[in-house]
Amino acid sequence: MKGYLSEFSMGASVLIVLAFSLLLMPFAMAAEPIYAANSEPKKFGAQNPDQLAGIKPIISKQSKTKANTSAAAIGFARTDTAKSSTVLKDVADMDLDELVKVRVSPFEVSTRMDTGYRASNSVSGSRFDTPIQDLPFAIQAFTDSFIKDQKPVNIFDVARYSPGVTYRSNDFTEGNANLAIRGFAVSATPGNVQILRDGVHGPSIFDFTNISRVEVVKGPASFLYGQVAPGGIVNIITKSPQSKFAATADARYGAYGQYRFDTDVTGPASNTLFYRLASSYDHDMDYWKPYDAHSWDISPSLLWQPNERLSVSLKYENFRKEEQPLLLQKPGYNTQAGVVPTLSDPNLAGVDVPNLPDNWNSMSNADFRDSQTHNLSTWIDFKADDHWNLRTGYSHLEYEVDALFSGNLGMSNNQTLMQGRRVRKQTYTNRDDTVEVQSVGNYNFGWTSLHLLFGGQYVIRRFDNRAAQAANDPALGNNPTASPLPLWDLGNPGTWNRDVTVPVSALTANATDQTSEYVDKSVYGGTTLGFFDNRLLVLAGGRLTSTQSQLTNHLTNQSQPEITASAVTPQYGVLYKLTPGLSAFATYAESFVPGSQMLNNPDGTNTPAAPTEGQGYDIGIKADLFGGRASSTLTYFDILNKNIVNDLATTNSAGSVVISNVQSGEQRSRGIEWDATAKVTDNWQAYLSYSYMDARITEFSGNDAAILAQDPSTLDATGQANYKNVKRFHNAPLQMSAPHLANLWTRYDFSTEKLSGLHLGGGVNFVYDQTLLPDSPKSSHQTYALLNAMIGYSWEMGGHGMNVNLMGKNLADEHYRPSQSTRSRPREFLLSFSLSF
């Protein structure tokens, strides 16, 4: 198998598909061009699903039934046969049955059947456009309407509405996109994939300038996306050019001097070429002292569609954020000094130092963090015939986080208020190049339907980590800790000197300069069989992945041995429609995350870490009732993740305690998730979600029961070190997990003559008994509820749409920790005005 994979050349596959597309291009261009659905006769251009989404034709029950069929919703149907040259109807003359047949690339999600917060289809759950109700697992898709109403600052502001999702930012230089799904961190180590962007690796930091949709796929998804954690993955879908001119401009001003400007322009450059340009400038609130942050984003894109068989897209995004200084969490205490906690030596892991003001920041005036992302992607979609669609694409991603910080994270002991300082500069640089080919086939044999998916992916990743800090000043001593700068007494603001004069050239201590390089090659294939008029859907698929990685230390000019791994990750699922609006489903899937470190074994040898492997199943019910007014998913899940690397203390031949690595850890998460979207009346819609989750470390050392059965007072130093760690982590909750999460957001639009244009909205995010760290004491677990509300008014003037909106966030002014290394935002009000053309 290894020999086969070494001969597998993704580049050659891409060239074959590309050459095939170019070879057929003259024939494709000679075919009858596709006409924009809303264009005048004999003018042609790309279809615009966003425009179709807002159309409300009068339809019959018969056409409505046809529109709900899987084949139509998936988007393979054409508005005319392959031989027909009939010009498409104007949209105003189409009924719903005709509208759903307007061609959309099966690799792009169809939004034309979305209504408000209700998403009809998803592309993340199967890699091609599929009705959510036909997918045999849980998935939440958040529409553009929902995103706009949230006024999000980061991805968690939207993803938190998906049941079982928490924030997991664990490193102040890793960005703002790391989440935990069902308790499992999407990325457990810096440099790994945190999020997907249009189905391929995405950046670790971004904002919502160029995002039109967020989809959360639950459960192990390595069949579709390779190396991802077993809890699931988030895929953000970016904005695409549209065939009709449209432009929006937004201005926002809020509490503590924050403001933001957005523009978005799209339209036709010619009959076959379409463009879009989204941009923004943002200045964050001046609440924390000291803290100043601003960012900007520019995202141009092009779509060339000469006819209904061929389309070529090109997208670019540049996002930059500058913080002077960065904002760091409040310093926290540690676990107990002894083997077990006592009243005089308590476990305070993750507990904040008390009595610091909420707007306090430990940084100096000279500190900074600059984050920048470049993302370029291009895709070629080709319709080979009535059954097969092909896609080939390339994505290039670069993002860098460069930071200088003098603040510190922890305390030297659990009694002192004296905190040591540090001056450290750290730079994370990521580069990711992905080449991919995909093909989707669609057949209907009368008695059964068949959907096929085949693809291959070649990924080259590189992660550079460079850091160094100032040496400690011997004149300051080490009581209670050494420091390069005078210590701060956290109970005395007079000691908080924020003027740092250490030059960058003096940062030479604890230096790091290393590069991790990865090469991933994979092929995947899957099929969905439909029986009894698609009442029974059976899914089966698998992915063969081969990976290579190597760590190079540039300070010593040494490279670790290359780590190689390969695995087959399957996925199986079945969905049965009990009634047209009620389905039962079950799915089983596996995940695969290759190890990227060398283990220091207890016997003194070094071996590469084995892959972390996950497996899980979902069982649930999906409902789509009352003519699509209410849709819901109820799921029971059980996920096991094993081969977790943990530390183990051993005694060497000299009698010293040595910390070794053992790959014996096991984690498990199981629980219930529920989400629902309801259109209570024509003017009132709501989204609700709830999760119960028991996510724990079920095994730490591989021998937990025997270790815990010992009397720690009879053990030597090695035994006591192991007993302490196992006692801390055995059966401990996974970091940032919470047994209960509940969310509600609702909106009402007034339609009476006097109040027409007015809308109200509001909701709550409830978190119960959330742990910051696995070994945090129970008393430090957080329970809180975030209350949010909005009021807005829309009107037209001079043919242009206008909207004014007032948003209130965290109205109860809750103080909480979104993650271990982040801070909550205070109560804030945002006043925004938008103008559309």
Side-chain angles (χ1 to χ4, degrees), residues 191-192 397-400 428-432 462-464:
N192 278 5
L397 171 65
E398 292 183 18
Y399 57 96
E400 179 179 270
Y428 284 178
T429 304
N430 288 264
R431 181 187 175 105
D432 188 303
R462 176 183 172 124
F463 173 59
D464 293 291

Side-chain angles (χ1 to χ4, degrees), residues 467-542:
Q469 66 188 51
N472 292 329
D473 184 353
L476 297 175
N478 58 5
N479 183 22
T481 185
S483 174
L485 299 172
L487 278 66
W488 282 12
D489 180 351
L490 298 184
N492 180 10
T495 65
W496 302 348
N497 181 16
R498 301 186 187 274
D499 294 323
V500 175
T501 58
V502 178
V504 174
S505 59
L507 307 183
T508 57
N510 294 337
T512 297
D513 187 359
Q514 60 187 27
T515 297
S516 299
E517 296 177 289
Y518 309 84
V519 177
D520 305 329
K521 296 175 286 187
S522 59
V523 291
Y524 54 88
T527 181
T528 300
L529 286 167
F531 300 97
F532 314 119
D533 196 22
N534 287 334
R535 188 169 183 178
L536 173 65
L537 298 172
V538 180
L539 176 150

Side-chain angles (χ1 to χ4, degrees), residues 41 59 75 91 123 158 182 213 230 300 322 377 567 591 648:
I59 58 173
V91 169
V123 73
V158 173
R182 293 178 172 176
R213 196 179 187 89
E322 295 182 352
S377 62
S591 66
L648 181 71

Side-chain angles (χ1 to χ4, degrees), residues 177-480:
N178 199 6
L179 304 172
I181 303 177
R182 293 178 172 176
F184 300 103
V186 175
S187 174
T189 58
N192 278 5
V193 178
Q194 296 183 0
I195 204 165
L196 299 177
R197 181 184 186 270
D198 294 328
V200 295
H201 297 169
S204 292
I205 186 167
F206 60 89
D207 75 357
F208 276 81
T209 304
N210 194 36
I211 297 175
S212 65
R213 196 179 187 89
V214 175
E215 299 188 348
V216 185
V217 181
K218 297 300 183 61
S222 286
F223 156 54
L224 294 174
Y225 298 111
Q227 303 177 29
V228 295
I233 193 67
V234 176
N235 184 27
I236 58 174
I237 298 174
T238 58
K239 297 176 180 178
S240 296
Q242 303 298 317
S243 62
K244 184 178 180 180
F245 175 80
T248 59
D250 296 272
R252 184 189 310 170
Y253 183 81
Y256 305 102
Q258 61 178 300
Y259 58 88
R260 180 182 176 94
F261 302 100
D262 284 89
T263 61
D264 186 5
V265 182
T266 186
S270 70
N271 288 338
T272 59
L273 182 65
F274 311 93
Y275 65 88
R276 191 160 193 165
L277 178 62
S279 62
S280 69
Y281 177 83
D282 184 281
H283 183 274
D284 203 0
M285 60 170 54
D286 294 322
Y287 173 72
W288 302 277
K289 304 298 181 183
Y291 175 72
D292 182 69
H294 56 276
S295 64
W296 55 91
D297 186 296
I298 182 167
S299 301
S301 58
L302 293 171
L303 172 65
W304 181 55
Q305 188 170 0
N307 52 67
E308 66 173 357
R309 297 179 64 184
L310 178 68
S311 67
V312 180
S313 65
L314 179 67
K315 294 184 177 182
Y316 173 76
E317 182 167 8
N318 176 217
F319 172 73
R320 183 167 185 175
K321 183 174 184 179
E322 295 182 352
E323 300 164 274
Q324 296 178 332
L326 66 156
L327 177 66
L328 198 66
Q329 76 228 45
K330 294 180 182 179
Y333 288 117
N334 302 303
T335 187
Q336 74 277 1
V339 179
V340 294
T342 64
L343 289 177
S344 60
D345 182 24
N347 170 30
L348 297 178
V351 177
D352 284 348
V353 173
N355 302 320
L356 288 172
D358 194 60
N359 65 346
W360 183 86
N361 191 7
S362 66
M363 293 298 153
S364 73
N365 297 320
D367 296 336
F368 66 86
R369 178 169 58 188
D370 292 342
S371 308
Q372 185 164 203
T373 294
H374 296 275
N375 204 157
L376 174 69
S377 62
T378 181
W379 300 98
I380 301 174
D381 291 352
F382 181 73
K383 184 176 179 64
D385 56 32
D386 285 342
H387 299 291
W388 284 96
N389 287 264
L390 311 176
R391 162 173 278 200
T392 182
Y394 167 74
S395 173
H396 173 75
L397 171 65
E398 292 183 18
Y399 57 96
E400 179 179 270
V401 181
D402 183 28
L404 175 70
F405 48 92
S406 58
N408 219 331
L409 301 176
M411 305 296 289
S412 58
N413 60 59
N414 286 358
Q415 288 78 38
T416 186
L417 289 177
M418 301 299 294
Q419 186 192 41
R421 305 290 289 163
R422 61 174 172 174
V423 183
R424 184 172 179 84
K425 192 173 189 300
Q426 187 153 353
T427 302
Y428 284 178
T429 304
N430 288 264
R431 181 187 175 105
D432 188 303
D433 291 279
T434 301
V435 179
E436 187 167 42
V437 291
Q438 299 178 73
S439 60
V440 170
N442 177 56
Y443 293 90
N444 194 325
F445 302 107
W447 57 277
T448 185
S449 64
L450 174 65
H451 302 294
L452 298 169
L453 170 69
F454 298 104
Q457 194 177 67
Y458 185 89
V459 182
I460 299 176
R461 292 189 291 136
R462 176 183 172 124
F463 173 59
D464 293 291
N465 178 12
R466 299 182 301 277
Q469 66 188 51
N472 292 329
D473 184 353
L476 297 175
N478 58 5
N479 183 22

Side-chain angles (χ1 to χ4, degrees), residues 135-140 162-164 181-182 184 216-221 229-233 570-576 583-590 614-622 633-640 669-675 692:
L135 295 170
F137 44 82
I139 183 169
Q140 288 83 42
S162 174
I181 303 177
R182 293 178 172 176
F184 300 103
V216 185
V217 181
K218 297 300 183 61
I233 193 67
Q571 183 173 16
Y572 310 102
V574 60
L575 182 143
Y576 183 72
S583 303
F585 68 88
T587 187
Y588 170 85
E590 297 179 3
Q615 59 187 36
Y617 64 85
D618 284 26
I619 300 174
I621 295 175
K622 292 190 175 188
T633 302
L634 176 65
T635 309
Y636 171 80
F637 64 89
D638 193 330
I639 303 173
L640 187 67
S669 178
R670 51 187 171 182
I672 297 173
E673 293 177 344
W674 172 74
D675 70 277
Y692 167 75

